[in-house]
Amino acid sequence: MMKTNTFLLISSLVLGCTSAVANDSVTPREAAPKVQWGMSLGLDRYTESKMQLLGTEVGVHARLNGLEALPNWQLEGDVLLGRQKYTSTNTGDMDGVLNIETRWRALAPVYQTGTGQEGLSAGLGLQTLWNDLRGQTSTNHSGYERQATQIWLPVRWTSAATWELEGALLLRGTHTSRLSQANPINADIRNTQTNGAYLQASTRFKLDDGTNLSPFVRITRLGDSDTVKSGGQSWFEPKSTRWQIGAVLNF
């Protein structure tokens, strides 16, 4: 009788442990945040009425989603590094101009048409630009650094994870020109920009090694800025157009 009771007790314990393990194995576990990395190569052409910057650029790109605090949001960052040729009808040419651009976006679904990020999403974006034009041009004109910080309102349409169309309006931007680097009698100035938009289209091709390639084209247009005075002159940032064409290898 004692052996029977002992056997029943041990059997109950074993069955209880087995049930607990089974229940634990089927309990859904939260997926870890997913990061997708990419590297890009492209061509960047920036034009104003009397000058242009043209050259190649390389980039590093990251997309993060699945955060516990923001489960439906997608956070993105791009860093682009370029070497450009400066050409101006007034001040000559300059080679090897360094250009650094960063973009940061937070997007949330507005209207979903499928799984993941398919459908319409919108959010907020921050973009920075830096040009190093210090040095002498071919006609012995001195250059200076230019910096810009812009806040954008982006909207994106994603279709079946194969192509994306993104557009944005400029909410506010500031453009700093360090004129004192070219001529000490001039003070550095900061212009404000409120008129601008960009449009980017990209598609995606799956490669045999599991990565995918995303060709893209992007156009950005900015209107005239406000006018400020420095060194007895009035300064403003004229309207401009920037074309960026390239491809991102995502892995």
Side-chain angles (χ1 to χ4, degrees):
M1 184 68 176
M2 184 177 296
K3 290 182 180 181
T4 301
N5 291 338
T6 301
F7 174 77
L8 291 175
L9 178 60
I10 294 174
S11 299
S12 299
L13 291 173
V14 170
L15 290 173
C17 291
T18 302
S19 176
V21 171
N23 289 334
D24 182 67
S25 64
V26 299
T27 300
R29 297 181 180 179
E30 293 186 5
K34 179 182 178 182
V35 181
Q36 182 182 57
W37 292 94
M39 298 185 67
S40 67
L41 177 64
L43 182 68
D44 184 343
R45 182 174 183 261
Y46 172 88
T47 58
E48 295 177 3
S49 59
K50 297 181 179 180
M51 64 85 83
Q52 80 163 7
L53 288 161
L54 176 64
T56 57
E57 61 185 5
V58 296
V60 177
H61 311 265
R63 291 188 175 189
L64 171 65
N65 56 61
L67 289 177
E68 183 177 354
L70 301 168
N72 296 321
W73 285 76
Q74 182 162 285
L75 307 179
E76 303 176 358
D78 310 300
V79 179
L80 302 167
L81 172 65
R83 282 283 186 179
Q84 301 175 325
K85 180 180 177 64
Y86 169 85
T87 305
S88 170
T89 57
N90 292 340
T91 56
D93 304 337
M94 181 186 293
D95 293 324
V97 175
L98 184 63
N99 180 74
I100 298 177
E101 176 182 357
T102 71
R103 306 176 196 146
W104 312 96
R105 295 172 303 285
L107 298 167
V110 175
Y111 174 73
Q112 289 183 297
T113 59
T115 60
Q117 304 297 324
E118 292 180 34
L120 185 68
S121 58
L124 200 62
L126 174 67
Q127 183 173 344
T128 67
L129 296 162
W130 177 69
N131 284 116
D132 188 1
L133 283 159
R134 289 174 293 180
Q136 298 290 317
T137 69
S138 59
T139 55
N140 295 321
H141 285 81
S142 298
Y144 50 86
E145 292 176 273
R146 295 156 32 109
Q147 296 173 290
T149 302
Q150 301 161 350
I151 300 175
W152 295 87
L153 186 63
V155 176
R156 176 185 295 165
W157 178 265
T158 303
S159 175
T162 58
W163 62 269
E164 291 181 347
L165 183 64
E166 179 177 324
L169 295 176
L170 178 67
L171 296 180
R172 182 180 176 84
T174 59
H175 193 286
T176 301
S177 300
R178 304 197 179 281
L179 302 177
S180 61
Q181 295 174 344
N183 191 336
I185 69 170
N186 291 327
D188 296 341
I189 61 172
R190 177 175 293 179
N191 295 104
T192 300
Q193 297 170 305
T194 56
N195 182 11
Y198 74 74
L199 182 66
Q200 176 170 317
S202 64
T203 187
R204 181 169 298 192
F205 299 101
K206 192 175 233 182
L207 304 180
D208 293 338
D209 60 0
T211 62
N212 58 73
L213 190 67
S214 298
F216 67 87
V217 58
R218 180 187 182 101
I219 181 173
T220 305
R221 292 186 183 275
L222 297 175
D224 292 337
S225 72
D226 64 349
T227 301
V228 299
K229 291 187 177 296
S230 176
Q233 300 182 58
S234 296
W235 300 81
F236 72 100
E237 281 299 310
K239 60 183 178 181
S240 63
T241 301
R242 182 188 298 272
W243 283 94
Q244 291 167 288
I245 301 172
V248 182
L249 180 65
N250 300 290
F251 48 88

